[in-house]
Amino acid sequence: MQIILERKDVKVVRVKGQVELKSPYPGGRNIKLDIDAVDGNGVEFDVEVQRNTKGSHIRRPRFHQSMMDSRLLKKNQDFNELKDTYVIFICQHEKFKENKPIYHVDKIIRETGKVFDDGAHIIYVNGKYRGEDDFGKLAHDFNCKKADNIYFKPLADGVRHFKETEKGRDAMCESFSKLADKVADERQVQTRRDDVRSLMDSMKLSLEQALNALKIQGKERAIIAKQLQK
């Protein structure tokens, strides 16, 4: 974060991976943040690692920031209390084809050319950039598979731990196992939800009748009912 933001004063105090933000509307699109981080000043960071151009579409940061912002103010809080947010795409590809190490997307007032700083920041990192500066070394490190070839010690230590120690490999396997179980559960709920909707449409049943007909109970029933309620 210090390299990407070109600031030495950034101190990340909390990091979570694969954080899901759910739409408040039934049938609305949810998002899953690759990395959700918060610094000592309450600034929120969404870091997305992208291997293809589709995943880094220029309209995606807009949606991510809207979902993040909607959770940052409590009832009756003033808008000036809204903390800054950063959506950062670390792309394996060269998004804008200008051979720059990093691209800052800022709002401006068209008539004056002055920056309109509303606290919403979008940054694209060029994973194909190579150079002797910190950006070049960071891009190099993100493409490295062996810890011994990584410039920055924190990254090297992390790769070495998860790939080359028994404890790290066990932790990684456990994480992937939990993720696989979660994905399987989500797919099952989606399939059952589609079954309920189909039954409602074809048989003209109410939501409750369709749920009862398919014998859907408990937590699964509550989730599906919430998703299908209008």
Side-chain angles (χ1 to χ4, degrees):
M1 297 304 299
Q2 290 180 351
I3 293 170
I4 292 172
L5 299 179
E6 299 178 276
R7 288 168 43 197
K8 297 296 184 183
D9 61 330
V10 178
K11 302 294 181 183
V12 175
V13 297
R14 189 177 78 242
V15 178
K16 292 183 179 179
Q18 296 297 302
V19 174
E20 186 174 25
L21 302 183
K22 295 187 176 181
S23 171
Y25 301 104
R29 178 159 186 171
N30 303 329
I31 61 171
K32 190 169 289 184
L33 311 184
D34 285 350
I35 302 171
D36 178 31
V38 181
D39 76 1
N41 297 316
V43 176
E44 296 266 350
F45 301 90
D46 165 27
V47 183
E48 300 292 320
V49 181
Q50 294 298 320
R51 295 183 177 274
N52 57 62
T53 56
K54 183 179 179 181
S56 61
H57 192 281
I58 60 174
R59 289 181 182 261
R60 185 174 175 182
R62 169 184 161 188
F63 189 74
H64 277 227
Q65 279 185 319
S66 70
M67 294 282 277
M68 294 167 67
D69 284 346
S70 66
R71 290 160 169 77
L72 294 182
L73 284 183
K74 295 180 180 179
K75 187 176 180 180
N76 297 325
Q77 270 191 287
D78 290 334
F79 289 111
N80 61 8
E81 297 181 65
L82 188 65
K83 297 292 186 179
D84 283 15
T85 59
Y86 285 80
V87 177
I88 301 171
F89 281 85
I90 300 175
C91 302
Q92 192 175 44
H93 55 283
E94 221 291 36
K95 177 67 178 177
F96 299 106
K97 314 268 185 217
E98 297 289 344
N99 197 34
K100 304 293 185 182
I102 192 166
Y103 300 91
H104 298 85
V105 182
D106 297 317
K107 296 176 183 177
I108 64 166
I109 302 173
R110 185 184 301 174
E111 287 73 19
T112 65
K114 292 182 179 179
V115 173
F116 182 79
D117 185 9
D118 62 354
H121 308 277
I122 299 171
I123 296 175
Y124 283 85
V125 179
N126 176 9
K128 283 193 173 296
Y129 174 79
R130 294 293 181 268
E132 295 303 317
D133 54 5
D134 284 346
F135 287 113
K137 292 177 181 178
L138 184 65
H140 165 272
D141 287 355
F142 272 112
N143 287 278
C144 273
K145 296 182 179 180
K146 294 184 178 180
D148 291 342
N149 297 330
I150 293 177
Y151 288 108
F152 293 104
K153 188 175 184 299
L155 285 175
D157 290 344
V159 171
R160 188 172 289 109
H161 171 70
F162 286 110
K163 284 194 171 184
E164 300 175 15
T165 69
E166 184 176 353
K167 183 177 180 181
R169 286 193 295 268
D170 288 345
M172 184 69 75
C173 289
E174 182 179 357
S175 295
F176 274 109
S177 178
K178 289 180 178 179
L179 180 59
D181 290 342
K182 184 177 181 181
V183 170
D185 290 341
E186 290 175 351
R187 287 178 177 170
Q188 179 178 337
V189 169
Q190 183 178 354
T191 299
R192 298 279 272 171
R193 182 194 67 207
D194 292 342
D195 290 342
V196 171
R197 183 186 286 117
S198 177
L199 198 58
M200 290 170 65
D201 292 340
S202 62
M203 303 295 292
K204 306 303 180 186
L205 299 180
S206 69
L207 175 58
E208 288 295 318
Q209 289 172 329
L211 289 168
N212 290 336
L214 293 171
K215 298 181 179 180
I216 299 174
Q217 302 294 332
K219 183 179 179 181
E220 186 181 30
R221 183 186 182 100
I223 293 172
I224 293 173
K226 184 177 180 181
Q227 292 178 353
L228 291 179
Q229 282 172 344
K230 297 181 179 180

PDB file of all heavy atoms in Angstrom, residues 111-142:
ATOM      1  N   GLU A 111     -14.994  22.640 -16.392  1.00  0.00           N
ATOM      2  CA  GLU A 111     -14.856  24.046 -16.789  1.00  0.00           C
ATOM      3  C   GLU A 111     -13.601  24.709 -16.243  1.00  0.00           C
ATOM      4  O   GLU A 111     -13.121  25.698 -16.795  1.00  0.00           O
ATOM      5  CB  GLU A 111     -16.093  24.840 -16.330  1.00  0.00           C
ATOM      6  CG  GLU A 111     -17.349  24.563 -17.142  1.00  0.00           C
ATOM      7  CD  GLU A 111     -17.950  23.203 -16.838  1.00  0.00           C
ATOM      8  OE1 GLU A 111     -17.636  22.626 -15.762  1.00  0.00           O
ATOM      9  OE2 GLU A 111     -18.735  22.717 -17.673  1.00  0.00           O
ATOM     10  N   THR A 112     -13.073  24.189 -15.153  1.00  0.00           N
ATOM     11  CA  THR A 112     -11.895  24.827 -14.552  1.00  0.00           C
ATOM     12  C   THR A 112     -10.643  23.973 -14.633  1.00  0.00           C
ATOM     13  O   THR A 112      -9.532  24.484 -14.498  1.00  0.00           O
ATOM     14  CB  THR A 112     -12.154  25.151 -13.072  1.00  0.00           C
ATOM     15  OG1 THR A 112     -12.323  23.914 -12.341  1.00  0.00           O
ATOM     16  CG2 THR A 112     -13.405  26.014 -12.913  1.00  0.00           C
ATOM     17  N   GLY A 113     -10.827  22.654 -14.823  1.00  0.00           N
ATOM     18  CA  GLY A 113      -9.687  21.749 -14.844  1.00  0.00           C
ATOM     19  C   GLY A 113      -9.167  21.403 -13.465  1.00  0.00           C
ATOM     20  O   GLY A 113      -8.192  20.661 -13.331  1.00  0.00           O
ATOM     21  N   LYS A 114      -9.832  21.904 -12.408  1.00  0.00           N
ATOM     22  CA  LYS A 114      -9.382  21.638 -11.049  1.00  0.00           C
ATOM     23  C   LYS A 114      -9.909  20.284 -10.575  1.00  0.00           C
ATOM     24  O   LYS A 114     -10.986  19.832 -10.975  1.00  0.00           O
ATOM     25  CB  LYS A 114      -9.863  22.743 -10.112  1.00  0.00           C
ATOM     26  CG  LYS A 114      -9.207  24.087 -10.369  1.00  0.00           C
ATOM     27  CD  LYS A 114      -9.689  25.138  -9.370  1.00  0.00           C
ATOM     28  CE  LYS A 114      -8.992  26.478  -9.622  1.00  0.00           C
ATOM     29  NZ  LYS A 114      -9.452  27.525  -8.671  1.00  0.00           N
ATOM     30  N   VAL A 115      -9.139  19.673  -9.688  1.00  0.00           N
ATOM     31  CA  VAL A 115      -9.512  18.366  -9.152  1.00  0.00           C
ATOM     32  C   VAL A 115     -10.732  18.494  -8.251  1.00  0.00           C
ATOM     33  O   VAL A 115     -10.830  19.414  -7.432  1.00  0.00           O
ATOM     34  CB  VAL A 115      -8.339  17.745  -8.362  1.00  0.00           C
ATOM     35  CG1 VAL A 115      -8.788  16.459  -7.670  1.00  0.00           C
ATOM     36  CG2 VAL A 115      -7.171  17.444  -9.289  1.00  0.00           C
ATOM     37  N   PHE A 116     -11.691  17.592  -8.412  1.00  0.00           N
ATOM     38  CA  PHE A 116     -12.878  17.518  -7.572  1.00  0.00           C
ATOM     39  C   PHE A 116     -12.645  16.383  -6.589  1.00  0.00           C
ATOM     40  O   PHE A 116     -12.888  15.212  -6.878  1.00  0.00           O
ATOM     41  CB  PHE A 116     -14.109  17.250  -8.439  1.00  0.00           C
ATOM     42  CG  PHE A 116     -15.402  17.201  -7.675  1.00  0.00           C
ATOM     43  CD1 PHE A 116     -16.035  18.359  -7.274  1.00  0.00           C
ATOM     44  CD2 PHE A 116     -15.996  15.984  -7.369  1.00  0.00           C
ATOM     45  CE1 PHE A 116     -17.242  18.316  -6.578  1.00  0.00           C
ATOM     46  CE2 PHE A 116     -17.194  15.923  -6.672  1.00  0.00           C
ATOM     47  CZ  PHE A 116     -17.811  17.094  -6.275  1.00  0.00           C
ATOM     48  N   ASP A 117     -12.129  16.711  -5.418  1.00  0.00           N
ATOM     49  CA  ASP A 117     -11.699  15.694  -4.459  1.00  0.00           C
ATOM     50  C   ASP A 117     -12.834  15.344  -3.506  1.00  0.00           C
ATOM     51  O   ASP A 117     -13.008  15.965  -2.460  1.00  0.00           O
ATOM     52  CB  ASP A 117     -10.487  16.196  -3.675  1.00  0.00           C
ATOM     53  CG  ASP A 117      -9.912  15.130  -2.747  1.00  0.00           C
ATOM     54  OD1 ASP A 117     -10.354  13.964  -2.858  1.00  0.00           O
ATOM     55  OD2 ASP A 117      -9.049  15.458  -1.919  1.00  0.00           O
ATOM     56  N   ASP A 118     -13.589  14.321  -3.870  1.00  0.00           N
ATOM     57  CA  ASP A 118     -14.683  13.874  -3.009  1.00  0.00           C
ATOM     58  C   ASP A 118     -14.286  12.675  -2.150  1.00  0.00           C
ATOM     59  O   ASP A 118     -15.124  12.078  -1.463  1.00  0.00           O
ATOM     60  CB  ASP A 118     -15.925  13.535  -3.838  1.00  0.00           C
ATOM     61  CG  ASP A 118     -15.686  12.390  -4.821  1.00  0.00           C
ATOM     62  OD1 ASP A 118     -14.530  11.935  -4.931  1.00  0.00           O
ATOM     63  OD2 ASP A 118     -16.645  11.961  -5.489  1.00  0.00           O
ATOM     64  N   GLY A 119     -13.000  12.331  -2.177  1.00  0.00           N
ATOM     65  CA  GLY A 119     -12.518  11.243  -1.334  1.00  0.00           C
ATOM     66  C   GLY A 119     -12.613   9.866  -1.945  1.00  0.00           C
ATOM     67  O   GLY A 119     -12.250   8.874  -1.309  1.00  0.00           O
ATOM     68  N   ALA A 120     -13.140   9.793  -3.182  1.00  0.00           N
ATOM     69  CA  ALA A 120     -13.251   8.495  -3.866  1.00  0.00           C
ATOM     70  C   ALA A 120     -12.085   8.357  -4.839  1.00  0.00           C
ATOM     71  O   ALA A 120     -11.952   9.161  -5.765  1.00  0.00           O
ATOM     72  CB  ALA A 120     -14.582   8.395  -4.605  1.00  0.00           C
ATOM     73  N   HIS A 121     -11.258   7.346  -4.634  1.00  0.00           N
ATOM     74  CA  HIS A 121     -10.031   7.196  -5.415  1.00  0.00           C
ATOM     75  C   HIS A 121     -10.024   5.852  -6.141  1.00  0.00           C
ATOM     76  O   HIS A 121     -10.379   4.822  -5.569  1.00  0.00           O
ATOM     77  CB  HIS A 121      -8.798   7.284  -4.512  1.00  0.00           C
ATOM     78  CG  HIS A 121      -8.777   8.492  -3.633  1.00  0.00           C
ATOM     79  ND1 HIS A 121      -8.337   9.717  -4.061  1.00  0.00           N
ATOM     80  CD2 HIS A 121      -9.167   8.658  -2.337  1.00  0.00           C
ATOM     81  CE1 HIS A 121      -8.440  10.595  -3.074  1.00  0.00           C
ATOM     82  NE2 HIS A 121      -8.936   9.985  -2.025  1.00  0.00           N
ATOM     83  N   ILE A 122      -9.610   5.877  -7.397  1.00  0.00           N
ATOM     84  CA  ILE A 122      -9.470   4.657  -8.202  1.00  0.00           C
ATOM     85  C   ILE A 122      -8.047   4.594  -8.743  1.00  0.00           C
ATOM     86  O   ILE A 122      -7.549   5.589  -9.296  1.00  0.00           O
ATOM     87  CB  ILE A 122     -10.470   4.628  -9.370  1.00  0.00           C
ATOM     88  CG1 ILE A 122     -11.912   4.663  -8.848  1.00  0.00           C
ATOM     89  CG2 ILE A 122     -10.253   3.388 -10.240  1.00  0.00           C
ATOM     90  CD1 ILE A 122     -12.946   4.854  -9.941  1.00  0.00           C
ATOM     91  N   ILE A 123      -7.410   3.458  -8.580  1.00  0.00           N
ATOM     92  CA  ILE A 123      -6.024   3.288  -9.025  1.00  0.00           C
ATOM     93  C   ILE A 123      -5.899   1.961  -9.771  1.00  0.00           C
ATOM     94  O   ILE A 123      -6.390   0.925  -9.301  1.00  0.00           O
ATOM     95  CB  ILE A 123      -5.045   3.306  -7.835  1.00  0.00           C
ATOM     96  CG1 ILE A 123      -5.075   4.678  -7.132  1.00  0.00           C
ATOM     97  CG2 ILE A 123      -3.622   2.990  -8.297  1.00  0.00           C
ATOM     98  CD1 ILE A 123      -4.228   4.728  -5.875  1.00  0.00           C
ATOM     99  N   TYR A 124      -5.252   1.996 -10.915  1.00  0.00           N
ATOM    100  CA  TYR A 124      -4.917   0.788 -11.654  1.00  0.00           C
ATOM    101  C   TYR A 124      -3.400   0.612 -11.629  1.00  0.00           C
ATOM    102  O   TYR A 124      -2.660   1.547 -11.949  1.00  0.00           O
ATOM    103  CB  TYR A 124      -5.380   0.878 -13.107  1.00  0.00           C
ATOM    104  CG  TYR A 124      -6.854   0.667 -13.313  1.00  0.00           C
ATOM    105  CD1 TYR A 124      -7.756   1.712 -13.174  1.00  0.00           C
ATOM    106  CD2 TYR A 124      -7.360  -0.590 -13.666  1.00  0.00           C
ATOM    107  CE1 TYR A 124      -9.114   1.528 -13.369  1.00  0.00           C
ATOM    108  CE2 TYR A 124      -8.718  -0.790 -13.868  1.00  0.00           C
ATOM    109  CZ  TYR A 124      -9.586   0.271 -13.722  1.00  0.00           C
ATOM    110  OH  TYR A 124     -10.933   0.082 -13.910  1.00  0.00           O
ATOM    111  N   VAL A 125      -2.947  -0.569 -11.260  1.00  0.00           N
ATOM    112  CA  VAL A 125      -1.517  -0.892 -11.245  1.00  0.00           C
ATOM    113  C   VAL A 125      -1.210  -1.785 -12.434  1.00  0.00           C
ATOM    114  O   VAL A 125      -1.892  -2.793 -12.663  1.00  0.00           O
ATOM    115  CB  VAL A 125      -1.115  -1.587  -9.931  1.00  0.00           C
ATOM    116  CG1 VAL A 125       0.368  -1.934  -9.939  1.00  0.00           C
ATOM    117  CG2 VAL A 125      -1.436  -0.708  -8.731  1.00  0.00           C
ATOM    118  N   ASN A 126      -0.195  -1.414 -13.196  1.00  0.00           N
ATOM    119  CA  ASN A 126       0.200  -2.148 -14.395  1.00  0.00           C
ATOM    120  C   ASN A 126       1.121  -3.306 -14.021  1.00  0.00           C
ATOM    121  O   ASN A 126       2.303  -3.113 -13.751  1.00  0.00           O
ATOM    122  CB  ASN A 126       0.893  -1.189 -15.375  1.00  0.00           C
ATOM    123  CG  ASN A 126       1.421  -1.886 -16.614  1.00  0.00           C
ATOM    124  OD1 ASN A 126       1.145  -3.057 -16.852  1.00  0.00           O
ATOM    125  ND2 ASN A 126       2.181  -1.160 -17.413  1.00  0.00           N
ATOM    126  N   GLY A 127       0.565  -4.521 -14.033  1.00  0.00           N
ATOM    127  CA  GLY A 127       1.344  -5.690 -13.651  1.00  0.00           C
ATOM    128  C   GLY A 127       2.407  -6.091 -14.659  1.00  0.00           C
ATOM    129  O   GLY A 127       3.285  -6.896 -14.356  1.00  0.00           O
ATOM    130  N   LYS A 128       2.343  -5.525 -15.863  1.00  0.00           N
ATOM    131  CA  LYS A 128       3.346  -5.844 -16.884  1.00  0.00           C
ATOM    132  C   LYS A 128       4.507  -4.845 -16.884  1.00  0.00           C
ATOM    133  O   LYS A 128       5.478  -5.026 -17.624  1.00  0.00           O
ATOM    134  CB  LYS A 128       2.697  -5.886 -18.271  1.00  0.00           C
ATOM    135  CG  LYS A 128       1.892  -7.166 -18.524  1.00  0.00           C
ATOM    136  CD  LYS A 128       1.528  -7.314 -19.972  1.00  0.00           C
ATOM    137  CE  LYS A 128       0.885  -8.662 -20.258  1.00  0.00           C
ATOM    138  NZ  LYS A 128       1.788  -9.795 -20.012  1.00  0.00           N
ATOM    139  N   TYR A 129       4.378  -3.801 -16.091  1.00  0.00           N
ATOM    140  CA  TYR A 129       5.445  -2.795 -16.056  1.00  0.00           C
ATOM    141  C   TYR A 129       6.709  -3.386 -15.434  1.00  0.00           C
ATOM    142  O   TYR A 129       6.653  -4.113 -14.445  1.00  0.00           O
ATOM    143  CB  TYR A 129       4.989  -1.583 -15.251  1.00  0.00           C
ATOM    144  CG  TYR A 129       6.065  -0.544 -15.045  1.00  0.00           C
ATOM    145  CD1 TYR A 129       6.398   0.347 -16.053  1.00  0.00           C
ATOM    146  CD2 TYR A 129       6.757  -0.462 -13.833  1.00  0.00           C
ATOM    147  CE1 TYR A 129       7.390   1.304 -15.865  1.00  0.00           C
ATOM    148  CE2 TYR A 129       7.736   0.485 -13.634  1.00  0.00           C
ATOM    149  CZ  TYR A 129       8.054   1.368 -14.647  1.00  0.00           C
ATOM    150  OH  TYR A 129       9.036   2.314 -14.451  1.00  0.00           O
ATOM    151  N   ARG A 130       7.834  -3.072 -16.026  1.00  0.00           N
ATOM    152  CA  ARG A 130       9.117  -3.494 -15.481  1.00  0.00           C
ATOM    153  C   ARG A 130      10.054  -2.294 -15.424  1.00  0.00           C
ATOM    154  O   ARG A 130      10.169  -1.530 -16.379  1.00  0.00           O
ATOM    155  CB  ARG A 130       9.751  -4.607 -16.335  1.00  0.00           C
ATOM    156  CG  ARG A 130       8.969  -5.904 -16.323  1.00  0.00           C
ATOM    157  CD  ARG A 130       8.975  -6.561 -14.949  1.00  0.00           C
ATOM    158  NE  ARG A 130       8.236  -7.812 -14.947  1.00  0.00           N
ATOM    159  CZ  ARG A 130       6.943  -7.925 -14.651  1.00  0.00           C
ATOM    160  NH1 ARG A 130       6.249  -6.833 -14.366  1.00  0.00           N
ATOM    161  NH2 ARG A 130       6.343  -9.091 -14.648  1.00  0.00           N
ATOM    162  N   GLY A 131      10.695  -2.129 -14.306  1.00  0.00           N
ATOM    163  CA  GLY A 131      11.621  -1.022 -14.141  1.00  0.00           C
ATOM    164  C   GLY A 131      12.399  -1.229 -12.858  1.00  0.00           C
ATOM    165  O   GLY A 131      12.112  -2.128 -12.062  1.00  0.00           O
ATOM    166  N   GLU A 132      13.381  -0.370 -12.637  1.00  0.00           N
ATOM    167  CA  GLU A 132      14.220  -0.486 -11.446  1.00  0.00           C
ATOM    168  C   GLU A 132      13.625   0.254 -10.256  1.00  0.00           C
ATOM    169  O   GLU A 132      14.181   0.206  -9.157  1.00  0.00           O
ATOM    170  CB  GLU A 132      15.627   0.052 -11.738  1.00  0.00           C
ATOM    171  CG  GLU A 132      16.392  -0.761 -12.774  1.00  0.00           C
ATOM    172  CD  GLU A 132      16.523  -2.229 -12.374  1.00  0.00           C
ATOM    173  OE1 GLU A 132      16.818  -2.494 -11.185  1.00  0.00           O
ATOM    174  OE2 GLU A 132      16.324  -3.102 -13.238  1.00  0.00           O
ATOM    175  N   ASP A 133      12.499   0.948 -10.456  1.00  0.00           N
ATOM    176  CA  ASP A 133      11.859   1.652  -9.349  1.00  0.00           C
ATOM    177  C   ASP A 133      11.006   0.678  -8.536  1.00  0.00           C
ATOM    178  O   ASP A 133      10.885  -0.508  -8.864  1.00  0.00           O
ATOM    179  CB  ASP A 133      11.001   2.808  -9.868  1.00  0.00           C
ATOM    180  CG  ASP A 133       9.988   2.371 -10.920  1.00  0.00           C
ATOM    181  OD1 ASP A 133       9.883   1.150 -11.174  1.00  0.00           O
ATOM    182  OD2 ASP A 133       9.303   3.242 -11.479  1.00  0.00           O
ATOM    183  N   ASP A 134      10.400   1.174  -7.447  1.00  0.00           N
ATOM    184  CA  ASP A 134       9.609   0.307  -6.574  1.00  0.00           C
ATOM    185  C   ASP A 134       8.400  -0.279  -7.284  1.00  0.00           C
ATOM    186  O   ASP A 134       7.997  -1.417  -7.007  1.00  0.00           O
ATOM    187  CB  ASP A 134       9.154   1.089  -5.336  1.00  0.00           C
ATOM    188  CG  ASP A 134      10.282   1.276  -4.327  1.00  0.00           C
ATOM    189  OD1 ASP A 134      11.309   0.586  -4.461  1.00  0.00           O
ATOM    190  OD2 ASP A 134      10.126   2.099  -3.403  1.00  0.00           O
ATOM    191  N   PHE A 135       7.798   0.483  -8.216  1.00  0.00           N
ATOM    192  CA  PHE A 135       6.650  -0.038  -8.958  1.00  0.00           C
ATOM    193  C   PHE A 135       7.053  -1.245  -9.803  1.00  0.00           C
ATOM    194  O   PHE A 135       6.343  -2.247  -9.870  1.00  0.00           O
ATOM    195  CB  PHE A 135       6.052   1.041  -9.862  1.00  0.00           C
ATOM    196  CG  PHE A 135       5.305   2.101  -9.115  1.00  0.00           C
ATOM    197  CD1 PHE A 135       5.776   3.396  -9.085  1.00  0.00           C
ATOM    198  CD2 PHE A 135       4.137   1.807  -8.436  1.00  0.00           C
ATOM    199  CE1 PHE A 135       5.090   4.383  -8.404  1.00  0.00           C
ATOM    200  CE2 PHE A 135       3.442   2.784  -7.746  1.00  0.00           C
ATOM    201  CZ  PHE A 135       3.918   4.083  -7.727  1.00  0.00           C
ATOM    202  N   GLY A 136       8.198  -1.127 -10.462  1.00  0.00           N
ATOM    203  CA  GLY A 136       8.684  -2.223 -11.293  1.00  0.00           C
ATOM    204  C   GLY A 136       8.987  -3.455 -10.474  1.00  0.00           C
ATOM    205  O   GLY A 136       8.676  -4.585 -10.879  1.00  0.00           O
ATOM    206  N   LYS A 137       9.590  -3.251  -9.297  1.00  0.00           N
ATOM    207  CA  LYS A 137       9.910  -4.384  -8.428  1.00  0.00           C
ATOM    208  C   LYS A 137       8.645  -5.033  -7.871  1.00  0.00           C
ATOM    209  O   LYS A 137       8.563  -6.256  -7.749  1.00  0.00           O
ATOM    210  CB  LYS A 137      10.812  -3.913  -7.296  1.00  0.00           C
ATOM    211  CG  LYS A 137      12.208  -3.496  -7.762  1.00  0.00           C
ATOM    212  CD  LYS A 137      13.039  -2.969  -6.610  1.00  0.00           C
ATOM    213  CE  LYS A 137      14.422  -2.542  -7.094  1.00  0.00           C
ATOM    214  NZ  LYS A 137      15.239  -1.968  -5.982  1.00  0.00           N
ATOM    215  N   LEU A 138       7.643  -4.199  -7.542  1.00  0.00           N
ATOM    216  CA  LEU A 138       6.392  -4.736  -7.014  1.00  0.00           C
ATOM    217  C   LEU A 138       5.670  -5.563  -8.080  1.00  0.00           C
ATOM    218  O   LEU A 138       5.181  -6.661  -7.802  1.00  0.00           O
ATOM    219  CB  LEU A 138       5.492  -3.596  -6.544  1.00  0.00           C
ATOM    220  CG  LEU A 138       4.178  -4.008  -5.873  1.00  0.00           C
ATOM    221  CD1 LEU A 138       4.444  -4.732  -4.564  1.00  0.00           C
ATOM    222  CD2 LEU A 138       3.301  -2.782  -5.625  1.00  0.00           C
ATOM    223  N   ALA A 139       5.605  -5.039  -9.296  1.00  0.00           N
ATOM    224  CA  ALA A 139       4.965  -5.779 -10.394  1.00  0.00           C
ATOM    225  C   ALA A 139       5.700  -7.092 -10.641  1.00  0.00           C
ATOM    226  O   ALA A 139       5.085  -8.133 -10.897  1.00  0.00           O
ATOM    227  CB  ALA A 139       4.945  -4.928 -11.660  1.00  0.00           C
ATOM    228  N   HIS A 140       7.018  -7.042 -10.584  1.00  0.00           N
ATOM    229  CA  HIS A 140       7.830  -8.254 -10.733  1.00  0.00           C
ATOM    230  C   HIS A 140       7.480  -9.269  -9.657  1.00  0.00           C
ATOM    231  O   HIS A 140       7.273 -10.463  -9.920  1.00  0.00           O
ATOM    232  CB  HIS A 140       9.318  -7.883 -10.651  1.00  0.00           C
ATOM    233  CG  HIS A 140      10.230  -9.056 -10.441  1.00  0.00           C
ATOM    234  ND1 HIS A 140      10.540  -9.529  -9.174  1.00  0.00           N
ATOM    235  CD2 HIS A 140      10.889  -9.856 -11.305  1.00  0.00           C
ATOM    236  CE1 HIS A 140      11.356 -10.561  -9.290  1.00  0.00           C
ATOM    237  NE2 HIS A 140      11.577 -10.779 -10.569  1.00  0.00           N
ATOM    238  N   ASP A 141       7.370  -8.789  -8.403  1.00  0.00           N
ATOM    239  CA  ASP A 141       7.122  -9.689  -7.277  1.00  0.00           C
ATOM    240  C   ASP A 141       5.759 -10.363  -7.373  1.00  0.00           C
ATOM    241  O   ASP A 141       5.604 -11.524  -6.986  1.00  0.00           O
ATOM    242  CB  ASP A 141       7.219  -8.919  -5.956  1.00  0.00           C
ATOM    243  CG  ASP A 141       8.654  -8.567  -5.596  1.00  0.00           C
ATOM    244  OD1 ASP A 141       9.571  -8.999  -6.314  1.00  0.00           O
ATOM    245  OD2 ASP A 141       8.856  -7.849  -4.593  1.00  0.00           O
ATOM    246  N   PHE A 142       4.756  -9.642  -7.886  1.00  0.00           N
ATOM    247  CA  PHE A 142       3.426 -10.220  -7.989  1.00  0.00           C
ATOM    248  C   PHE A 142       3.371 -11.345  -9.013  1.00  0.00           C
ATOM    249  O   PHE A 142       2.419 -12.134  -9.026  1.00  0.00           O
ATOM    250  CB  PHE A 142       2.396  -9.148  -8.344  1.00  0.00           C
ATOM    251  CG  PHE A 142       1.813  -8.462  -7.137  1.00  0.00           C
ATOM    252  CD1 PHE A 142       2.077  -7.136  -6.883  1.00  0.00           C
ATOM    253  CD2 PHE A 142       1.005  -9.156  -6.259  1.00  0.00           C
ATOM    254  CE1 PHE A 142       1.554  -6.505  -5.767  1.00  0.00           C
ATOM    255  CE2 PHE A 142       0.468  -8.532  -5.141  1.00  0.00           C
ATOM    256  CZ  PHE A 142       0.742  -7.200  -4.893  1.00  0.00           C
TER     257      PHE A 142
END
